[in-house]
Each structure stands twice: as structure tokens, then as C-alpha cells.
Amino acid sequence: MNPFSSGTRLRDMIRAIRACKTAAEERAVVRKECAAIRTSMNENDQDYRHRNLAKLMFIHMLGYPTHFGQMECLKLIASAGFPEKRIGYLGLMLLLDERQEVLMLVTNSLKQDLNHSNQYIVGLALCALGNICSAEMARDLAPEVERLLQFRDPNVRKKAALCTIRIIKKVPDLSENFINPAAALLKEKHHGVLITGIQLCTDLCKVSPEALEFLRKKHTDGLVKTLKDAVNSPYTPEYDISGIADPFLHIRLLKLLRVLGQGDADASDVMNDILAQVATKTESNKNAGNAILYECVETIMSIEDNGGLRVLAINILGRFLSNRDNNIRYVALNMLMKAITVDAQAVQRHRATILECVKDSDASIQKRALELVYVLVNETNVKPLTKELIDYLEVSDQEFKGELTAKICSIIEKFSPEKNWYIDQMLKVLNKAGNFVKDEVWHALIAVISSAPDLHGYTVRALYKAFQTSSEQESLVRVAVWCIGEYGDMLVNNVGMLDIEDPITVTESDTVDVVKIAIKHHALDLTTKAMALIALLKLSSRFPSCSERIKDIIVQHKGSFVLELQQRSLEFNSIIEKHQNIRSALVERMPILDDATFNTRRAGSLPAAASTSGGASLNLPNGVAKPSAAPLVDLLDLSDDLPAPSSSGGDFLQDLLGVDLSPAPTQSGIGQIQKAGTDVLLDLLSIGTPVQSSSPITDILSSSQNDKSPIATLDALSSPSSLSAQATSSARAAPMMDLLDGFGPSPLKPEDNGSVYPPLVAFQSNSLRITFNFSKQPGNPRTTLIQATFTNLTPNVFTDFIFQAAVPKFLQLHLDPASSNILPASGNGSITQNLRVTNSQHGKKSLVMRTRMSYKFDNKVTLEEGQINNFPQDLGSWSN
């Protein structure tokens, strides 16, 4: 016989396919077999139709297309014999689904078979309908299925019940037709029919409120009696599993009782006794018993309140936690997570067992137990639970340590009873897992340390001791370096000793050694090194005897390839060498944060950030209330040449210029940048985002002197992100000079200018007038020097005056600091500020500028804006 003819048996085809050594050989065999089957179908070969369909089903299970055989299924279903119908219905369930249009053709055959005198053919039709029934078929065949729920044969009734579940899920509107027939199945003695009847009633309750109310009132007592009979039934070999009579029936009954008892106190009272009996009599040494106990616990936790039963249920879960089977422990932890919202006190009794689960070797159990412990923590148990978790932190797996550390830090922040305890516990975490601590955590710790003046000495000594043993923990080193920079003198002098402390001897040189070691051990960490340089600058003022040594350490970074470190090194070295008179004011201690920060942390809020109060002022990081900026608008909508706005960060420079401060140099100019809305901890830590270029330090000192605030000066010096961003490559190429010798603004003198030009009123409103005086430098026609004069036209004195300007990208703008930030009233004085504009399109495009002025009077901030398009036309091509 041809091995690929329609007459080959199924086993021969399977043997040929399994003998293939490659996928290509298998595809060839399948292709030839499918061709033979198609030929047989075209010849309408009825003798081998069932065999061909059997082979098609095997080919379908291998993943090959078999859609061409769908009509063969319908032909076999229409046959009179049981064997053909069986193959046909099997092929129908396997090769088709409810989305196939061909399925509509089988509805009539199904209806005939559901009314067939042969119960086995009826069973085939019910099985097929239960698997592939569509909504249309459900509506057409629901009456036949409803009738079969009362069929004489239990197997047919069971299949009819399963088919009904499919029908009511597809068409919930039909559920009311099945309420009474389904309720009748609850009285069945045959366990198979009873289980399917219970499942049908459960699904009816979920889709039909009428069915739920009917079963709750009429059949709750009957279900309780059925469950009691099942619990107390003697040994029955037919249903026995591990010494328990039909655990599947137990579980189905408990699920239905849970649905009926949820939200109904009367139904819950009826089932309380039997639930207690199931919970106490069921053996837990077998899986079947544990399954029943789990469903019993879930039912108890879902029905209406009964305190005694819930305690019993939670105790069962506690026993589950001691089971050696990981699956049982995992489901117990899941259930306890739900139970804690109902009866937290009962769950607290199993706290020790839950803590042991945190130390389990199974990762899933570890994580679930940790989540449960986190929920269990409150003000009364936070100290013992935190101690247990921190003790385990040291020996926990590296993969689990990060998640464990995050939870411990969150617990400490949320439930800390006092600052002393908070600091102690956080230092333990940093000591054991500092490399896993997130930035916002140690930021918060520094904020809390800052707000606790009585603990400054204690904290810096504790950090000094911890550093000696754990200098490799990155976050610990950062906090230690910051505290030593701020409170190093307290460390040396043993200031603020607590009763629980023993005095230690630390010299000034030892303190500097700590910072030096931090720089050496964390050479690749920019943040740590930047913080260390700040700390050294502060220590140079606190410890004058170590000033030279500190200068030697700082100057080592003057050749660093990281611009921020290089800049800090050069500026700090200049401060130490030539500006001792202002150094102490620059490096004063950071101001103490108010207690609101700490309380916000305890409430579990987001990390503290500068917030706006009433829209009138911003609480800046240095604690000084300054005017808030009005909502920023795009100042660069002057021409199509402008770059698209960037949405990154909250920095005024980016909003004003609409550019991204990435390492690529910016081409736009900026007048004066006012830093606001910065995170509290950026000022505390004196760090910021590295920039690629910065202005001469004279701008910083001038603005700081106008502010009369040493803190503002320190902030400007220590945070490169706050520096003006207008320096260009030509500025960097200039000869090295003392950046702190104070190149202040000097008014332009006519005799110094190569040319002069008539003054221009650039802006005038009811309150303010701006006049521009122009000049050119000899030999540099591209650059225009502008002296801006600001005059107050009102009888009110303007304070906190700020002038900002923006230009298109073909211009470069440099602003010197203003002569003052106070503008006298009624024109009795003025403020001057020098601008330098370089036009890269000199001779082609004229100057254009957008301006913004902000000032304050009567505690109100006023913002004025203007656009200057009336620059003299010949200014762009003006030359000497």
C-alpha cells in the first residue's frame, strides 16, 4: 500500500513523522499526507473519512494548517453511526472554535443529537456544545439543554450542567431560565452531578442577583446540611482521597457558601457552626485536608463578621506557615495579607513565624513575607521588628538585600518614634547595606540630622566610628563626609556628648584623613568626591592648622578630566590661598531645617522638595523666603531659527532658553539666571548637575555681595549647576588668572569706546523705563557693548530687582552683574548693568532681544516682559 494513500492508518503516519530527523523531512511527510487526504476528500471517499479526520487532528496538534478538513467534521457529525459522530465531534472541538462561520452549519445537527434516543450521542453533543458554544448557538439550543438537566441518566445531567455554565457565561440573560433546574441539582445523591450542580449555582450567583437571592433564602440550610453530611460521612472507597471523603465536594460547597454568605449576616450565621466543624475536624497532614482548610479559611474571612471564627482561621494559616511545603506557606502568606485588613491583632500573634519566613531560602516566600511584615509594623512593634530585619540584613542574599533595605528604610522613616532612634537605625542600615540604599533615603537622613541640633555631635561621632569599619559603603561615606564637613569641630572637641556615649579622641588630622580616604576609596564616584571637596573647604576654616594639608589634597584635582571637580579644585584653592577674610562666611554651617521636613517624612510622604506657599514665595533650600518666579513663558519665539523648548528639569536656564543642558555647548545667550525651586538637599549637599562650561567666578561674587548672604555665596560656589552658562570656548582659552580678584562691573566710558551711538529707550511702562547706550570695541565689529540703565517711574521702592534677557541662537549674550538689586523710587537713582552681544551673522541680521524684569514691592512680586526689535538697523553692520 502507498504509505501516503488515504488508506494508511493513523499509527503508520505517526511512525513516519517520528522517524524524521529534520524539520524539513517532517514538513515533507505532512505535506504529502495532506495531499493524500485532500484527494480522498475530493473523491468523497466515505470508507476512510473518519481515518482522514483522525490524521488531520494529529497534524493540527503539530501546528500545521488543517482548515480544509472542517467540512469533513460536519459530514461525520451528520452520519448516523456513533463512531463517526464521535470522530466528527472531536474534530469539531479541535479544528474549529466559536469564531468560525462554518460553526453555524452544525447547529441543526447539534439540535437533532440533543434529542437523540441514544444517551451517548446526546453526551457527545453536550460535550461539543460546552466547548465551542457561541452566543447564537446558546440562544438556539438553551431549551434542549434545560430539558436535559432533568434527564434520567446522571452522566447526561452532569454534562448538561457543565454545558449550562458555558451558556450563561455567553448569554447572561438566559440565566433566569436555569435557576430552578440548577437548584434541583443541589439535592442529587450522585457526587458527580452534585459537584457540577454546585458549580452551576455558583456561576449563576455571579451573573444573576435574582439567582443569588433565591439560593440564599431557599437553599443555604440545605447546602449546610450537605456539607455536614460530607464531613461526617463514613469511609467510602468510591470517593475517598487520603482518608477524606470527596474533598472536591467539600471545596465546591465551601465556595458556594462563601458567595451566599458574603454581605448577608443571616446566611453567615447559618453556616458558622459547620465552618467551625470543618476547621477543627479536617486533618492537615495531607494535601487534600490542607486544600479544604484553605477554602474554609477563605470562606470564614469572606462572610460577615464572627470574631472567634476569624481567629480560628488565622491560627490555621499560622500552622500553614510552619509547613514544610513551600506552596502551602506561600498561599498562607497571601491569605494573611488579606486577613490583616480584617483582624490585624490576630495576625500579629504570628509575627515571629512570619519573620522566620523572611529568612526562607525560597525567593517568592521571602518577598511575600517581607511585604506582610511591612504591613504588620506599627508604632508599638516598630523597634523589635526593625531590629530583627536589620540583624538579618547582614546575612541576607545579595539579590534580596536591595528590596529588604528599601523596606527597612521605609519602616524607619514612617514609624520612627524619635530622631535619636531614627538616626541610630539608619546608620545601622548604611553600615550593613549602604551600597543598596537609594539616594532619597540618605538625602532624608541628612535632612533629619540637620534638623536635630542636639544630636549633631552624637551623629558625627557615630558616623566617624562607622566609617572606620565600613568605608566601602557608598551612602554611609557620603553622609559621613557631609556631617564631618559641617560638624567636624564637634567631633574633635567631643561637643554634645550623650549619656550613652563614651568619649573618643579624634584629632584634626584624623578628621581630614577620613575625607581623604573617602576620595581615595570612591575615586569613580563623582558625587562622593564633590561632597568631599566641599567638606575639605569647610574643614580648612574649622581647622586652620590643617589648611595647608587640605589645600594640597584639593589641588590634586585641578587637572581632573571631570570639569566639575576641576572647577571646584581651582576655586576652593583660590579661596584658601587668597581669600581667608571671606572664607569663614562662605563656609558657615548650613541652616537648620525646620521640623516640618521630619514630620513629613514620618508621614510617609514623597521626598522633601521646595514648595510654594500661597503662590507668593518659594521656600528655598537655604531657608530664606525669596520671591517666586511667575510661570515661565518661551522667551525665544523671535524667529524660526530658535531651538525647540526643552522640558527637562525645573531650571530657569532651560525654561528661559528652551535648550537642553547636555554636554553639547549651547549657542544661546542668557542674561541673569535666578535659581529657584531647587530641591532642599541639593543645597544641603552642595552638589548639582555637572555642566560643561561656566562663567568667571566674578559673576558669582558680585551677585552674592548684592544679596548680602554668605549662604547664597556658598551655594553659588558649591553648586556648579547654579553658575551662569554663558562661558564660551574663547573664555576657556584665556590666560589663567585669579578668578576671585573680583572683576566687578565698570561703567563704560566714552573715551574707552571705539564709537558711540545715540541712546535707545528699549522698554517703557507705567512703572519702569530701560535705556540702552551702545558702543563698539575697536577691531571687533561683531561685538556690541550695551549699558542698560533701569529707572523707577513710581513712588515705590523696588527690591529684589532682576533683569533677564534672551536672544536667538545666532547671537551670544553675556551679562555682567547689576550695580544693585534695589531700584529707588521716582527716578531718584537707577541701576546699571552691562551687556555684551556678539552677532555671528554680522552684516546680515540685526540685533533682536527679549527681556524680562521682576521686582518686589509691598511684598508682591511683579513681572514685566518686552521684546526689543527696534535696534538701529545699521548696528548689525556697524564697524570702525
Side-chain angles (χ1 to χ4, degrees):
M1 182 182 292
N2 183 351
F4 297 111
S5 69
S6 60
T8 56
R9 295 177 298 179
L10 175 63
R11 70 180 65 178
D12 294 330
M13 186 193 73
I14 294 173
R15 190 178 292 115
I17 290 175
R18 287 182 176 174
C20 297
K21 295 182 179 179
T22 64
E25 290 181 18
E26 179 184 295
R27 287 193 295 270
V29 171
V30 171
R31 190 162 51 246
K32 291 177 181 178
E33 191 65 51
C34 288
I37 293 173
R38 283 195 186 92
T39 303
S40 178
M41 290 178 181
N42 293 335
E43 295 173 354
N44 200 18
D45 188 351
Q46 298 184 10
D47 295 335
Y48 296 110
R49 181 172 285 159
H50 65 286
R51 181 179 291 179
N52 289 339
L53 188 56
K55 289 192 282 188
L56 275 178
M57 285 189 282
F58 184 79
I59 291 171
H60 174 79
M61 288 188 288
L62 291 177
Y64 295 96
T66 55
H67 55 277
F68 59 87
Q70 292 175 351
M71 292 304 297
E72 293 298 296
C73 297
L74 305 186
K75 293 176 182 178
L76 284 172
I77 289 172
S79 302
F82 174 78
E84 289 80 8
K85 283 184 178 291
R86 182 174 62 177
I87 292 293
Y89 277 119
L90 184 59
L92 182 74
M93 291 184 284
L94 194 61
L95 303 183
L96 283 82
D97 57 48
E98 60 180 281
R99 295 167 295 182
Q100 301 284 344
E101 294 182 1
V102 180
L103 202 60
M104 297 301 298
L105 302 176
V106 81
T107 304
N108 192 49
S109 296
L110 279 169
K111 189 167 187 176
Q112 292 177 0
D113 289 341
L114 289 174
N115 293 298
H116 204 281
S117 58
N118 187 334
Q119 66 184 36
Y120 298 108
I121 292 178
V122 175
L124 286 175
L126 285 170
C127 189
L129 188 62
N131 277 280
I132 61 169
C133 173
S134 63
E136 292 79 8
M137 294 174 68
R139 291 188 179 92
D140 293 338
L141 301 175
E144 279 71 23
V145 177
E146 182 183 351
R147 177 180 56 80
L148 291 173
L149 286 173
Q150 301 167 9
F151 197 77
R152 64 182 183 277
D153 184 72
N155 287 323
V156 173
R157 294 201 300 275
K158 178 175 68 175
K159 292 183 178 181
L162 294 173
C163 187
T164 304
I165 294 173
R166 171 90 177 193
I167 289 173
I168 63 173
K169 287 181 177 178
K170 290 293 177 185
V171 189
D173 294 343
L174 296 174
S175 58
E176 61 182 15
N177 300 333
F178 294 98
I179 294 176
N180 289 320
L185 296 178
L186 299 178
K187 301 176 182 178
E188 284 281 350
K189 299 298 181 185
H190 188 281
H191 281 206
V193 180
L194 181 57
I195 288 175
T196 54
I198 293 170
Q199 183 61 46
L200 174 57
C201 290
T202 304
D203 288 321
L204 276 171
C205 292
K206 293 178 181 178
V207 299
S208 171
E210 294 82 3
L212 174 61
E213 195 61 30
F214 174 78
L215 292 171
R216 185 178 279 162
K217 289 182 177 180
K218 303 290 185 181
H219 292 277
T220 302
D221 292 331
L223 290 168
V224 169
K225 183 178 182 303
T226 304
L227 180 56
K228 187 177 295 185
D229 292 342
V231 171
N232 297 321
S233 63
Y235 172 75
T236 308
E238 184 180 357
Y239 304 118
D240 183 81
I241 298 177
S242 301
I244 299 175
D246 203 345
F248 298 102
L249 178 60
H250 284 75
I251 290 171
R252 293 294 179 189
L253 283 166
L254 288 168
K255 285 185 175 180
L256 180 53
L257 288 175
R258 178 162 72 244
V259 174
L260 297 177
Q262 198 165 10
D264 190 279
D266 295 334
S268 299
D269 289 339
V270 172
M271 59 186 75
N272 279 341
D273 292 341
I274 186 59
L275 291 176
Q277 188 175 348
V278 172
T280 53
K281 288 189 66 174
T282 306
E283 297 181 7
S284 60
N285 55 352
K286 300 289 185 181
N287 258 352
N290 287 327
I292 294 173
L293 286 173
Y294 178 78
E295 289 297 335
C296 182
V297 168
E298 195 159 5
T299 301
I300 291 171
M301 302 308 295
S302 299
I303 65 174
E304 291 309 296
D305 186 33
N306 187 306
L309 267 183
R310 285 182 175 167
V311 172
L312 177 61
I314 292 172
N315 289 340
I316 291 172
L317 295 176
R319 292 206 308 271
F320 280 1
L321 292 178
S322 303
N323 199 298
R324 288 179 296 178
D325 191 319
N326 287 346
N327 295 324
I328 294 175
R329 280 188 289 167
Y330 186 79
V331 297
L333 290 169
N334 276 337
M335 182 56 67
L336 285 170
M337 284 292 289
K338 300 176 185 176
I340 197 169
T341 60
V342 179
D343 193 344
Q345 195 59 39
V347 179
Q348 289 281 1
R349 298 191 189 101
H350 303 279
R351 195 170 62 214
T353 311
I354 296 169
L355 269 172
E356 288 302 313
C357 291
V358 175
K359 305 172 185 178
D360 195 88
S361 58
D362 186 275
S364 299
I365 292 177
Q366 276 184 337
K367 292 179 180 179
R368 208 67 180 135
L370 182 59
E371 291 171 4
L372 183 54
V373 169
Y374 182 75
V375 178
L376 281 174
V377 177
N378 54 38
E379 288 80 0
T380 59
N381 61 22
V382 60
K383 290 188 176 181
L385 278 178
T386 304
K387 181 181 183 301
E388 290 282 347
L389 292 175
I390 291 177
D391 289 344
Y392 176 61
L393 181 61
E394 190 170 7
V395 297
S396 61
D397 297 334
Q398 294 296 314
E399 296 79 9
F400 184 53
K401 192 165 284 189
E403 188 170 352
L404 180 58
T405 301
K407 290 292 185 186
I408 294 173
C409 293
S410 181
I411 289 170
I412 294 171
E413 286 189 26
K414 192 174 182 182
F415 297 103
S416 172
E418 54 194 8
K419 294 183 181 180
N420 193 1
W421 184 86
Y422 173 92
I423 293 171
D424 285 341
Q425 303 311 309
M426 289 303 299
L427 292 187
K428 290 179 183 178
V429 174
L430 293 178
N431 198 3
K432 296 180 179 180
N435 292 332
F436 296 90
V437 172
K438 295 180 180 179
D439 286 349
E440 57 266 22
V441 174
W442 63 268
H443 289 177
L445 175 59
I446 287 179
V448 173
I449 293 172
S450 174
S451 67
D454 296 340
L455 300 175
H456 286 170
Y458 169 74
T459 303
V460 72
R461 284 187 291 274
L463 282 165
Y464 177 82
K465 295 174 187 175
F467 184 88
Q468 306 304 316
T469 57
S470 303
S471 60
E472 75 284 351
Q473 301 291 351
E474 187 177 273
S475 297
L476 174 68
V477 171
R478 291 177 180 178
V479 178
V481 165
W482 186 88
C483 286
I484 287 173
E486 293 294 323
Y487 318 120
D489 51 337
M490 293 184 173
L491 173 64
V492 173
N493 300 322
N494 281 325
V495 176
M497 291 288 295
L498 301 182
D499 296 338
I500 58 174
E501 287 187 273
D502 294 326
I504 59 174
T505 303
V506 181
T507 64
E508 295 179 353
S509 180
D510 293 336
T511 307
V512 176
D513 286 340
V514 169
V515 184
K516 183 178 179 181
I517 292 170
I519 295 175
K520 180 180 178 182
H521 285 188
H522 299 270
L524 300 179
D525 182 17
L526 173 62
T527 301
T528 303
K529 292 179 75 172
M531 293 176 67
L533 290 178
I534 292 289
L536 287 171
L537 177 64
K538 294 188 175 186
L539 291 178
S540 69
S541 175
R542 315 252 198 281
F543 306 147
S545 61
C546 296
S547 184
E548 283 300 317
R549 184 185 173 201
I550 290 172
K551 188 187 75 170
D552 292 340
I553 299 173
I554 290 176
V555 83
Q556 292 174 6
H557 297 85
K558 69 179 182 180
S560 173
F561 290 110
V562 180
L563 183 59
E564 180 175 351
L565 297 180
Q566 182 189 101
Q567 175 181 318
R568 289 182 186 230
S569 175
L570 292 170
E571 292 173 0
F572 296 171
N573 183 55
S574 182
I575 292 173
I576 294 173
E577 279 188 342
K578 302 180 181 180
H579 299 279
Q580 291 87 351
N581 56 329
I582 65 170
R583 180 173 59 182
S584 59
L586 288 176
V587 298
E588 285 181 357
R589 288 200 181 103
M590 298 305 295
I592 297 173
L593 295 179
D594 58 13
D595 234 18
T597 303
F598 179 71
N599 292 332
T600 303
R601 295 274 176 191
R602 289 192 59 190
S605 68
L606 294 173
S611 58
T612 305
S613 175
S617 65
L618 289 174
N619 292 326
L620 294 185
N622 60 9
V624 180
K626 293 190 178 180
S628 63
L632 290 171
V633 295
D634 181 14
L635 290 183
L636 292 178
D637 54 353
L638 303 176
S639 71
D640 294 336
D641 295 327
L642 302 179
S646 169
S647 60
S648 61
D651 192 71
F652 277 20
L653 175 59
Q654 292 169 263
D655 284 331
L656 188 62
L657 290 179
V659 297
D660 186 7
L661 291 181
S662 58
T666 174
Q667 297 297 318
S668 299
I670 180 73
Q672 181 173 334
I673 304 158
Q674 193 70 8
K675 182 183 177 185
T678 316
D679 191 274
V680 174
L681 290 165
L682 289 182
D683 257 355
L684 270 179
L685 302 176
S686 301
I687 61 173
T689 306
V691 294
Q692 297 302 309
S693 62
S694 59
S695 65
I697 203 69
T698 55
D699 288 354
I700 303 167
L701 289 180
S702 298
S703 63
S704 302
Q705 289 160 4
N706 290 335
D707 231 4
K708 303 300 181 185
S709 169
I711 296 299
T713 307
L714 176 59
D715 182 51
L717 281 172
S718 61
S719 179
S721 63
S722 65
L723 302 179
S724 300
Q726 74 273 16
T728 61
S729 58
S730 61
R732 289 196 298 272
M736 187 62 193
M737 63 188 71
D738 179 13
L739 295 180
L740 290 176
D741 277 343
F743 291 97
S746 57
L748 293 173
K749 300 179 181 178
E751 62 269 23
D752 296 334
N753 300 330
S755 303
V756 294
Y757 198 82
L760 169 71
V761 177
F763 174 86
Q764 183 162 345
S765 66
N766 293 332
S767 56
L768 183 66
R769 180 173 65 239
I770 304 175
T771 304
F772 280 180
N773 291 290
F774 304 98
S775 62
K776 287 279 189 176
Q777 289 182 340
N780 190 4
R782 291 176 178 267
T783 301
T784 302
L785 304 178
I786 303 173
Q787 184 182 59
T789 304
F790 306 96
T791 305
N792 183 355
L793 305 179
T794 70
N796 303 305
V797 176
F798 295 164
T799 60
D800 294 336
F801 182 85
I802 298 170
F803 171 71
Q804 295 174 304
V807 294
K809 63 183 180 181
F810 67 87
L811 300 174
Q812 290 182 353
L813 174 66
H814 173 86
L815 268 74
D816 288 335
S819 59
S820 175
N821 64 348
I822 298 175
L823 191 56
S826 304
N828 293 326
S830 61
I831 296 176
T832 59
Q833 190 164 5
N834 294 334
L835 296 76
R836 185 171 68 249
V837 183
T838 303
N839 188 351
S840 62
Q841 300 290 327
H842 177 67
K844 299 178 181 178
K845 293 186 178 181
S846 299
L847 302 185
V848 65
M849 184 180 298
R850 195 107 188 236
T851 60
R852 172 187 290 151
M853 292 68 64
S854 66
Y855 49 85
K856 186 176 180 182
F857 70 91
D858 292 337
N859 292 323
K860 293 182 180 179
V861 177
T862 302
L863 183 72
E864 296 193 45
E865 296 179 358
Q867 183 166 321
I868 307 173
N869 296 319
N870 58 340
F871 283 96
Q873 292 298 317
D874 58 341
L875 193 59
S877 57
W878 187 22
S879 61
N880 298 298

